[in-house]
Amino acid sequence: MGIEGIGARVQRKEDKRFITGKGRYTDDMVVPGMKHAAFVRSPHAHAKIAGIDASAAEGMPGVIAVLNGKQLTDDGIGNLICGWMIHSKDGSPMNMGAWRPLADSTVRYVGDAVAIVVADTRSQARDAADAVVVDYEELPAIVDPVKALQDGAPQLHPEAKGNLIYDWEIGDGAATDKAIAEAAHVTELKIINNRLVPNPMEPRAALGHYDEAEDHYTCWTTSQNPHVARLVMSAFYNVAPENKLRVIAPDVGGGFGSKIYIYPEEIVCLWASKRTGVPVKWVCDRTEAFLTDAHGRDHVSTVKLAFDANNIVTGMKVDTIANLGAYMSLFSSSVPTYLYATLLSGQYNIPAIHANVRTVYTNTTPVDAYRGAGRPEATYLVERVMETAARELGVSPAELRRKNFVREFPHQTPVIMCYDAGDYDASLKAAMEAADYDGFPARRKEAESKGKKRGIGMSCYIEACGIAPSQAVGSLGAGVGLWESAEVRVNAVGTIEVLTGSHSHGQGHETTFAQLVAERFGVGLDSVSIVHGDTDKVQMGMGTYGSRSGAVGMSAIAKALDKVETKAKKIAAHLLEADEGDIVIENGELKVAGTDKTLPWFQMALAAYTAHNLPDGMEPGLKEGAFYDPSNFTFPAGCYICEVEVDPDTGKTEIIQFVAADDFGNIINPMIVEGQVHGGIAQGVGQAMLEAAHYDAETGQLITASYMDYTMPRADDLPSFQVSHQNTPCPGNPLGIKGCGEAGAIGSPPAVINAITDAIGTNKLDMPATPEKVWALLHSH
Amino acid sequence: MYATTYHKAKTVDEAVKLVGQSESGKFLSGGMSLLPTMKQRLAAPSDLVDLRHIPEMKGISVSGSEVKIGGAATHYEIKESAELAKACYGLHSMASVLGDPQVRYMGTIGGSLANNDPAADYPAAMLALDATIHTNARTLKASEFFAGLLETALEDDEIVTAVSFTAPEKSGYEKFRNPASRYAMCGVFVAKTGSEVRVGVTGAGADGVFSWDEAASALSSNFSADAIKDLAVDPGELLSDLHGSSEYRANLVKVMAKRAVESAR
Ligand SMILES: Cc1cc2nc3c(=O)[nH]c(=O)nc-3n(C[C@H](O)[C@H](O)[C@H](O)COP(=O)(O)OP(=O)(O)OC[C@H]3O[C@@H](n4cnc5c(N)ncnc54)[C@H](O)[C@@H]3O)c2cc1C
């Protein structure tokens, strides 16, 4: 590693502009003649639209147009779709209901868009939106996913009888039932995974610009994957063909999954721009974000874990009901199936697993992938039932886990995944040492003497990142391939541009991707620029989610760098009159090994472009592209330990320490990785102790629609984290990277809940562990 | 947010006049309660008349045991005043846990009292200190001023210009924060002067701030946490919401009261 290469703790190149307020976000984009949009949204969770009267609104100051769903339908704009086909266990395809970008006959959740107002200013648009009179005929609403499946529940979509989207299974049911029947001990638990609101710092936004002269659309939007947005808008939503639609995702202030999806607003802004002849900008406010950004999690499960007389796990049976909200968002179907149930084996040898998953429609905001996407739900279930089993069996939680760890790789689980590498003992040991696990009983005693209740809990998580091998996901129903692309352009003076299909919205790609290049050619970070987020600049790419930009995105860059390196060496060998195999690249120079003959990098680049003296038959220039399709998922894993102290008088829990010991494979920039872990744990602690979306059971109103009621984690809710790494390189990709973006959010919730339940002596605690809940449990037994 | 017209008043009289002349004007102090409601489009005043630059409404004075705080004093000024911390520890400690630094720099005691949010901190202090609320038109006892959730005795054109009280011998404030908003889920202010003790409770009452008289009388003969350990508040009189049932709040009232007595100085 050089001082700026792989493994160097360099500061983030992008931070100067972010910290000094010079980032350029969608809302900063201004084009001549631009006007402003506001959406008319349903105040009801479920209603028929009997009529829309826009006459008053149309006459208001500054109003250019009020457009509705019928006009959108007449113009041929298509339904929003879910791009991952799941079949029920009876072989039938999932029951997808229609999602109109602007509802034209029925609204199905509070916030469902009904009409768009375009006006000179944002205030005028909002005033006019308030004046649009929609005649709603209210229908009964259902928000609880379990009740939504019951007879007599209000029905959302004619396509989905009984609100059931699919009834899916994985694993061997008979073998699992047998293991449970023959078990020496079975631990059973009901697990609720609370619904979360993603809350990226930057709310969503879209600016649609139709250029009539060119018959061409440009869409600036807050996207984690602009090419996917263009593909979907062109192929399914009928906005415009790909060559006539440019999607730009400039600086994006966080996504956590919620900006993967293509939402109604960007489609409608593009369409409205054509209809009105003016560029149309919409910026989401925080209340709209609460109501309309795809939510995360929302599972209700039961789990049975079977053990033999030696405390070896023999089987696991899971039943899950997952709430997908009012409509199927872009990848919603895959989250509670292939991103969830395939991880139920955890870090353990489990010979038989069976999971049944039913997904349901309810009158709530659509649910889709949110940091971790399915893996937090799996980890929470596995690690809570493991800890509970240890308590029931009267053995140490660490010992029970150790006894069942996978130690031989590759390891084929009964639920598709094949783990390629890992060392679960190493992270468990490191975490226990860092937490002084053995010293806990003394600390508990000490706390008791002060009237406090201490608890300690652990979580040994595994997750699957680097999504994903295209053929594999295709066979499982994915509508797209999940490879990544890169193009490396060496300029005539030797500076380098990397065009990547990944998209950075907080991950620091401008730094880490440049470090990869710096490592390879020994050039300074400053001479490497990363270009992303614009479909007109960058070749087709799949974007950033599922902790894939390191393992997949950087692997594509590495492949392109290989090609550049080969050509550069050929040029150098020619100019230095040496053998190609003797050329080495070091510190920005190409050298003939074992001699003092060198060629500076920039001279090689210049030679490539002057083309005065290139090897026979070589094309001028130095620019190479690559597509990389991973051969497997990657499997980051680790052990998290949380120690808490509960105040029995108020039920308030304080986190005393939080230890994270992770195996992320090779690491490009430890500082950025630690930051990802910190942020992930903050969100995991948020889920465990603070955050929950609550809907009113009768009216379907989102009660927690602002920060007055939705508790985001703040700095003083969190301890100083102790983070370490016990890395085993990933054998599946050229860089040995596993991925680190989601681990913190995946591994931490069960560690927190295991600690609190340890402190208060019960296993019956659901997230979020609010002071009231903890107090009530303490005083109920 | 709707468009509005901003005015900076130089005197109390001018402020009253400006609001009187406007179509649907409102006084503006820190804006920490008013601006969020405007952003959510729940309020749409035609005019905002800023009170923060009116000299007669500024400052904190302590002379002997008499304390007077201007209506435009910010939470930060109240927290930082060494004189006030000495005269009334409870109020100093209350201002230290009110909101966050940004809110403390901007928000004012006058704005908070006029707003009378059921989860705001000051109302408990005002009741326990038996404070006098001064307006441009009259003076009122705290017990006459608060009139239920978000309601006060103020007229539309009435301004809280100052607050005054006699410094207690000892006072303390303990607050259990709502995890989301960080307002009081329950805040208890105790003040003791001689054998007279008052206990103000905010955040918990179904009708807003209230005096817990039973605790006050128990404490007046024995100013210790022990004195209230067997008392109970009736959950039937308390608020129940997403963050805490009335039973939980009843528990918090007692726990916070005990802690306020213990921390009182
Ligand atoms: C994030 C956040 C956290 C907060 N946390 C807390 C907390 O923990 N505890 C707490 O108590 N409060 C909290 N607050 C509220 C804060 O204390 C406000 O400052 C206060 O409630 C209102 O004061 P203001 O000066 O900002 O008034 P403004 O918002 O300007 O005005 C509020 C209302 O009072 C009227 N008004 C203003 N001044 C006067 C006056 N002098 N006379 C008559 N009418 C007037 C206005 O017309 C308006 O109706 C919080 C606020 C925020 C934004």
Side-chain angles (χ1 to χ4, degrees):
Chain A
M1 137 186 141
I3 50 163
E4 296 185 332
I6 292 178
R9 212 171 250 283
V10 291
Q11 302 243 315
R12 304 203 326 167
K13 291 174 76 173
E14 47 271 78
D15 279 350
K16 183 173 179 192
R17 81 172 183 276
F18 292 147
I19 290 169
T20 57
K22 299 291 194 312
R24 297 270 289 153
Y25 299 88
T26 299
D27 190 24
D28 295 316
M29 302 300 153
V30 176
V31 293
M34 183 177 87
K35 304 295 179 188
H36 301 267
F39 282 85
V40 178
R41 297 186 182 279
S42 170
H44 303 295
H46 200 189
K48 284 246 166 282
I49 301 174
I52 300 177
D53 180 359
S55 51
E58 279 162 350
M60 287 174 66
V63 172
I64 294 160
V66 182
L67 304 172
N68 62 41
K70 184 164 176 320
Q71 292 163 313
L72 188 90
T73 306
D74 291 346
D75 285 355
I77 301 294
N79 290 339
L80 282 89
I81 51 134
C82 174
W84 195 306
M85 171 53 73
I86 300 289
H87 288 87
S88 284
K89 55 194 176 198
D90 67 5
S92 61
M94 63 192 188
N95 306 312
M96 181 161 50
W99 184 1
R100 296 298 305 152
L102 292 175
D104 52 6
S105 60
T106 307
V107 288
R108 295 185 177 84
Y109 73 102
V110 174
D112 213 348
V114 173
I116 181 175
V117 177
V118 180
D120 289 339
T121 70
R122 196 170 173 215
S123 286
Q124 288 169 336
R126 302 186 98 199
D127 287 347
D130 286 347
V132 174
V133 182
V134 184
D135 182 6
Y136 293 105
E137 287 168 8
E138 271 189 78
L139 298 167
I142 182 88
V143 298
D144 181 307
V146 177
K147 292 186 180 143
L149 287 174
Q150 291 166 359
D151 285 348
Q155 301 290 301
L156 270 82
H157 293 276
E159 297 87 347
K161 291 220 169 45
N163 298 317
L164 180 72
I165 300 171
Y166 53 74
D167 183 355
W168 173 91
E169 66 176 349
I170 189 170
D172 186 335
T176 307
D177 289 343
K178 185 160 173 282
I180 289 169
E182 291 170 357
H185 179 83
V186 177
T187 293
E188 193 170 346
L189 212 57
K190 182 177 177 198
I191 295 275
I192 295 178
N193 208 289
N194 42 327
R195 176 187 276 249
L196 303 174
V197 182
N199 284 306
M201 205 182 282
E202 179 207 17
R204 291 189 293 118
L207 165 55
H209 182 194
Y210 176 69
D211 180 337
E212 200 191 349
E214 303 278 347
D215 187 27
H216 181 276
Y217 293 83
T218 306
C219 177
W220 287 264
T221 188
T222 46
S223 176
Q224 300 177 210
N225 34 227
H227 287 90
V228 176
R230 183 177 69 158
L231 170 69
V232 172
M233 286 199 278
S234 141
F236 299 101
Y237 304 158
N238 218 10
V239 175
E242 272 175 304
N243 63 321
K244 295 189 173 183
L245 174 58
R246 175 183 185 185
V247 178
I248 303 171
D251 283 335
V252 174
F256 311 115
S258 72
K259 292 173 182 167
I260 298 173
Y261 326 113
I262 289 71
Y263 289 87
E265 290 85 0
E266 43 269 29
I267 304 168
V268 174
C269 283
L270 285 164
W271 166 73
S273 175
K274 181 168 189 185
R275 269 258 178 179
T276 57
V278 295
V280 176
K281 182 195 269 183
W282 166 77
V283 179
C284 185
D285 71 19
R286 192 52 74 179
T287 307
E288 280 180 297
F290 269 101
L291 292 175
T292 66
D293 287 3
H295 291 177
R297 322 277 193 257
D298 209 347
H299 286 197
V300 179
S301 303
T302 54
V303 51
K304 287 184 189 158
L305 190 62
F307 292 87
D308 71 9
N310 295 318
N311 296 341
I312 300 290
V313 179
T314 54
M316 175 192 267
K317 196 168 178 75
V318 174
D319 181 74
T320 294
I321 295 175
N323 189 351
L324 294 193
Y327 301 102
M328 290 187 78
S329 174
L330 194 62
F331 290 117
S332 56
S333 58
S334 64
V335 177
T337 49
Y338 293 111
L339 296 176
Y340 161 69
T342 53
L343 272 307
L344 287 172
S345 196
Q347 297 188 351
Y348 314 108
N349 271 301
I350 306 184
I353 296 178
H354 180 261
N356 196 94
V357 178
R358 284 170 291 168
T359 49
V360 295
Y361 278 124
T362 62
N363 296 108
T364 60
T365 301
V367 176
D368 207 326
Y370 167 63
R371 201 171 192 171
R375 292 99 85 207
E377 294 90 317
T379 301
Y380 183 63
L381 184 130
V382 173
E383 288 306 291
R384 275 210 63 193
V385 73
M386 229 15 184
E387 192 95 1
T388 305
R391 290 173 193 168
E392 289 179 358
L393 294 166
V395 297
S396 107
E399 210 32 60
L400 186 64
R401 286 177 168 90
R402 252 188 226 120
K403 213 166 190 166
N404 289 285
F405 272 162
V406 169
R407 290 196 178 80
E408 277 166 30
F409 297 92
H411 172 80
Q412 179 62 53
T413 71
V415 279
I416 300 182
M417 290 301 179
C418 182
Y419 302 164
D420 55 0
D423 184 349
Y424 310 142
D425 290 290
S427 46
L428 178 63
K429 182 162 176 280
M432 287 175 73
E433 281 173 11
D436 183 21
Y437 199 89
D438 296 339
F440 175 73
R443 296 197 294 277
R444 169 175 266 175
K445 248 211 173 103
E446 157 93 35
E448 248 162 43
S449 72
K450 291 183 288 180
K452 297 284 167 63
K453 292 184 174 292
R454 279 241 174 164
I456 196 162
M458 63 170 58
S459 148
C460 294
Y461 77 90
I462 184 161
E463 59 135 333
C465 290
I467 57 174
S470 299
Q471 199 187 350
V473 295
S475 73
L476 301 177
V480 290
L482 290 170
W483 44 265
E484 195 48 88
S485 73
E487 185 173 299
V488 175
R489 292 184 189 159
V490 181
N491 298 319
V493 289
T495 57
I496 297 169
E497 278 139 26
V498 177
L499 289 76
T500 169
S502 300
H503 184 275
S504 191
H505 35 277
Q507 293 85 349
H509 295 171
E510 288 167 49
T511 307
T512 49
F513 288 12
Q515 282 181 262
L516 192 59
V517 180
E519 172 82 18
R520 184 70 76 101
F521 299 136
V523 296
L525 277 191
D526 208 33
S527 58
V528 184
S529 299
I530 308 301
V531 179
H532 65 107
D534 183 341
T535 58
D536 262 16
K537 290 184 184 164
V538 179
Q539 67 292 339
M540 176 69 178
M542 294 310 296
T544 289
Y545 39 84
S547 305
R548 67 193 303 275
S549 298
V552 189
M554 288 177 98
S555 292
I557 298 173
K559 255 184 98 175
L561 290 174
D562 288 344
K563 297 182 190 176
V564 169
E565 182 177 335
T566 303
K567 187 166 179 184
K569 281 181 173 171
K570 281 203 171 99
I571 296 170
H574 178 73
L575 293 177
L576 297 170
E577 294 170 341
D579 199 58
E580 199 186 317
D582 290 336
I583 304 289
V584 291
I585 306 181
E586 269 172 22
N587 298 328
E589 288 181 329
L590 298 108
K591 302 181 182 166
V592 183
T595 73
D596 56 3
K597 287 212 270 183
T598 66
L599 179 70
W601 175 260
F602 78 88
Q603 279 187 10
M604 177 281 302
L606 197 59
Y609 285 91
T610 56
H612 295 160
N613 183 14
L614 289 176
D616 266 357
M618 180 182 273
E619 283 179 16
L622 190 50
K623 181 200 85 163
E624 300 287 350
F627 283 70
Y628 173 78
D629 198 3
S631 56
N632 190 0
F633 289 85
T634 65
F635 298 95
C639 177
Y640 288 2
I641 294 179
C642 176
E643 185 169 331
V644 300
E645 193 166 282
V646 174
D647 175 353
D649 291 341
T650 62
K652 189 163 167 56
T653 301
E654 186 192 347
I655 299 183
I656 303 295
Q657 62 164 341
F658 198 103
V659 170
D662 296 290
D663 173 359
F664 292 140
N666 291 336
I667 286 177
I668 307 296
N669 183 327
M671 182 196 71
I672 288 181
V673 169
E674 283 160 18
Q676 290 287 318
V677 175
H678 291 176
I681 297 173
Q683 279 173 313
V685 169
Q687 166 158 38
M689 294 174 58
L690 307 165
E691 300 181 49
H694 286 284
Y695 283 91
D696 183 272
E698 290 290 309
T699 63
Q701 296 292 330
L702 180 62
I703 303 168
T704 48
S706 83
Y707 295 128
M708 292 298 280
D709 288 308
Y710 188 91
T711 313
M712 286 299 282
R714 289 141 152 115
D716 66 356
D717 291 315
L718 304 164
S720 189
F721 308 118
Q722 301 176 59
V723 178
S724 71
H725 305 296
Q726 298 72 40
N727 294 327
T728 61
C730 174
N733 61 58
L735 297 165
I737 292 176
K738 294 186 179 178
C740 66
E742 295 159 293
I746 292 168
S748 52
V752 175
I753 297 298
N754 288 340
I756 302 176
T757 52
D758 181 49
I760 64 176
T762 172
N763 292 320
K764 291 200 192 67
L765 174 66
D766 289 319
M767 301 187 289
T770 60
E772 181 192 23
K773 240 190 241 173
V774 172
W775 176 82
L777 280 172
L778 267 173
H779 294 269
S780 69
H781 60 259
Chain B
M1 197 153 119
Y2 298 92
T4 186
T5 306
Y6 172 87
H7 311 264
K8 195 191 258 182
K10 284 188 253 357
T11 65
V12 170
D13 288 345
E14 188 194 357
V16 173
K17 207 169 110 204
L18 282 167
V19 161
Q21 287 167 349
S22 69
E23 191 188 318
S24 60
K26 263 187 153 315
F27 300 120
L28 173 73
S29 287
M32 292 292 99
S33 293
L34 185 50
L35 294 186
T37 46
M38 289 173 65
K39 276 189 173 177
Q40 288 182 301
R41 298 165 73 83
L42 298 171
S46 61
D47 296 75
L48 290 178
V49 179
D50 195 341
L51 307 176
R52 284 174 309 165
H53 307 279
I54 299 175
E56 55 197 287
M57 283 179 61
K58 289 190 170 186
I60 297 170
S61 73
V62 179
S63 64
S65 63
E66 290 311 305
V67 179
K68 191 161 183 185
I69 302 172
T74 63
H75 312 324
Y76 175 76
E77 286 160 0
I78 292 170
K79 166 180 180 270
E80 288 297 301
S81 162
E83 266 185 317
L84 184 61
K86 232 169 114 200
C88 184
Y89 170 75
L91 199 56
H92 158 79
S93 108
M94 190 219 80
S96 319
V97 294
L98 191 158
D100 50 40
Q102 292 90 328
V103 170
R104 290 196 287 269
Y105 276 118
M106 293 299 290
T108 66
I109 186 169
S112 176
L113 292 178
N115 201 49
N116 192 21
D117 189 297
D121 294 296
Y122 287 110
M126 295 298 104
L127 279 188
L129 293 168
D130 194 24
T132 301
I133 318 288
H134 302 252
T135 78
N136 52 323
R138 54 188 165 151
T139 60
L140 290 140
K141 277 311 216 186
S143 54
E144 306 164 313
F145 180 84
F146 301 111
L149 308 179
L150 298 165
E151 295 289 335
T152 67
L154 288 177
E155 301 292 335
D156 281 351
D157 61 352
E158 203 170 354
I159 294 176
V160 176
T161 52
V163 163
S164 67
F165 59 87
T166 307
E169 242 165 60
K170 264 183 161 188
S171 61
Y173 183 70
E174 288 292 329
K175 168 183 189 178
F176 193 83
R177 291 173 158 188
N178 175 312
S181 71
R182 300 280 177 103
Y183 275 68
M185 188 123 102
C186 169
V188 178
F189 197 106
V190 297
K192 167 183 158 50
T193 302
S195 66
E196 201 175 345
V197 176
R198 283 195 174 78
V199 181
V201 180
T202 192
D207 295 323
V209 64
F210 67 93
S211 293
W212 188 14
D213 295 335
E214 210 188 341
S217 73
L219 289 167
S220 60
S221 52
N222 172 17
F223 194 75
S224 78
D226 248 13
I228 46 178
K229 75 174 193 303
D230 295 324
L231 302 185
V233 201
D234 177 8
E237 316 261 290
L238 300 184
L239 206 63
S240 192
D241 63 17
L242 187 65
H243 304 283
S245 64
S246 47
E247 287 76 22
Y248 180 55
R249 280 191 163 86
N251 169 67
L252 288 179
V253 172
K254 195 160 134 181
V255 174
M256 292 303 121
K258 287 202 282 192
R259 291 183 183 176
V261 170
E262 278 163 358
S263 72
R265 302 195 212 152

